[in-house]
């Protein structure tokens, strides 16, 4: 089976940097994806790490350590519109298994 | 590219009734996925199609649930004899290549009374 752990909630101020951690236990690991979901909206793909290291896409970066079964999403220069839920998801074979999500609240 | 669409967006039904949802994926995407999401949880995998073939089903998917993708384009998800526990958001997603990058539709919110 597969299981993922993320913090349930994180609060940060506008302009700050925040890191959302994800640890996982899985068999047949291919990689770790990150998705953003605003209230009432659909999940939107942010990034994917198949190999160890840091992937950067604009203000968002994602990191993976396969040996530690750990990854994180780093959000820089936080904006109010970044307030949303963030899900890590493990790719195993032909599907994704999602974590329970981290609700990020960005305050002024 | 018009994105993934789902119909209906909302459905209210009485316990014991059958419901059917439709998903139209992005046109060139050969992979299609169905998920269920409840409040405060992540999307939960239900089933996966590659073209018209249903290649994987979650063991959580009871025999009341069935999905089809008859011509490898749109897909339908049917729930028979609905129960109150079926109340959730049903999400459809599509991808090309691997499952790591999926494009989600807006979902169908089901309420079973």
């Amino acid at each position: 089976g597969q299981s993922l752990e993320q913090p349930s909630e994180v609060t940060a101020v506008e302009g700050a940097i925040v890191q959302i951690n994800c640890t996982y236990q899985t068999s047949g690991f291919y990689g770790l994806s990150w998705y953003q979901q605003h209230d009432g909206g659909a999940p939107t793909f942010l990034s994917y790490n198949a190999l160890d290291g840091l992937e950067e896409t604009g203000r968002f970066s994602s990191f993976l350590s396969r040996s530690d079964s750990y990854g994180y999403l780093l959000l820089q220069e936080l904006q109010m519109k970044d307030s949303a839920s963030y899900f890590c998801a493990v790719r195993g074979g032909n599907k994704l298994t999602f974590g329970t999500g981290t609700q990020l609240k960005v305050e002024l | 590219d018009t994105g993934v669409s789902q119909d209906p967006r909302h459905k209210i039904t009485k316990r014991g009734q059958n419901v059917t949802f439709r998903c139209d994926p992005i046109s060139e995407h050969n992979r299609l996925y169905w998920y269920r999401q409840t409040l405060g949880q992540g999307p939960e995998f239900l089933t996966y199609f590659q073209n018209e073939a249903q290649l994987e089903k979650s063991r959580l998917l009871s025999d009341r649930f069935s999905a089809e993708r008859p011509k490898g384009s749109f897909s339908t998800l049917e729930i028979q004899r609905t129960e109150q526990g079926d109340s959730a958001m049903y999400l459809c997603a599509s991808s090309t290549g691997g499952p790591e990058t999926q494009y989600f539709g807006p979902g169908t919110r089901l309420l079973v009374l």
Side-chain angles (χ1 to χ4, degrees):
Chain A
Q2 293 162 323
S3 67
L4 300 93
E5 285 194 21
Q6 314 177 225
S8 60
E9 193 173 303
V10 172
T11 302
V13 297
E14 195 175 30
I17 299 172
V18 72
Q19 179 174 312
I20 299 173
N21 297 320
C22 174
T23 57
Y24 58 87
Q25 289 185 318
T26 183
S27 56
F29 177 81
Y30 285 73
L32 190 70
S33 293
W34 288 91
Y35 284 76
Q36 177 193 61
Q37 186 176 31
H38 287 97
D39 280 349
T44 303
F45 172 78
L46 293 176
S47 69
Y48 176 67
N49 294 69
L51 303 174
D52 287 358
L54 191 69
E55 294 280 344
E56 297 182 69
T57 309
R59 294 188 298 115
F60 294 0
S61 303
S62 58
F63 172 83
L64 176 66
S65 169
R66 295 173 68 111
S67 60
D68 295 321
S69 298
Y70 164 75
Y72 66 73
L73 181 69
L74 191 73
L75 296 85
Q76 303 182 73
E77 301 173 16
L78 280 174
Q79 302 175 10
M80 297 297 292
K81 67 178 182 179
D82 297 329
S83 293
S85 292
Y86 292 84
F87 296 91
C88 59
V90 167
R91 178 190 170 182
N94 289 312
K95 68 180 186 184
L96 291 178
T97 299
F98 285 80
T100 53
T102 299
Q103 187 170 11
L104 172 63
K105 296 181 181 178
V106 180
E107 300 176 335
L108 291 171
Chain B
D1 179 357
T2 59
V4 179
S5 62
Q6 293 186 244
D7 184 71
R9 296 290 307 276
H10 303 272
K11 179 70 176 179
I12 300 174
T13 191
K14 293 182 179 180
R15 190 176 52 184
Q17 297 295 304
N18 299 344
V19 294
T20 300
F21 309 141
R22 176 179 171 125
C23 170
D24 286 89
I26 294 172
S27 57
E28 65 269 24
H29 286 186
N30 60 340
R31 296 176 179 233
L32 186 146
Y33 311 82
W34 284 99
Y35 294 86
R36 177 171 60 194
Q37 187 176 27
T38 54
L39 198 61
Q41 300 296 313
E44 177 186 34
F45 172 80
L46 294 178
T47 190
Y48 155 65
F49 289 85
Q50 184 161 329
N51 299 311
E52 66 274 13
Q54 187 174 20
L55 297 184
E56 193 163 347
K57 285 175 59 172
S58 168
R59 49 195 167 86
L60 300 174
L61 207 64
S62 78
D63 56 6
R64 296 185 298 106
F65 287 71
S66 63
E68 293 182 342
R69 194 182 183 198
K71 296 182 180 179
S73 56
F74 73 92
S75 176
T76 58
L77 177 69
E78 181 183 18
I79 309 173
Q80 296 182 324
R81 305 182 303 281
T82 52
E83 302 172 356
Q84 288 184 325
D86 296 332
S87 296
M89 175 74 84
Y90 289 83
L91 293 163
C92 174
S94 70
S95 74
T96 184
E100 61 273 10
T101 308
Q102 295 183 22
Y103 296 84
F104 282 81
T108 295
R109 186 171 294 280
L110 173 66
L111 177 62
V112 182
L113 302 176

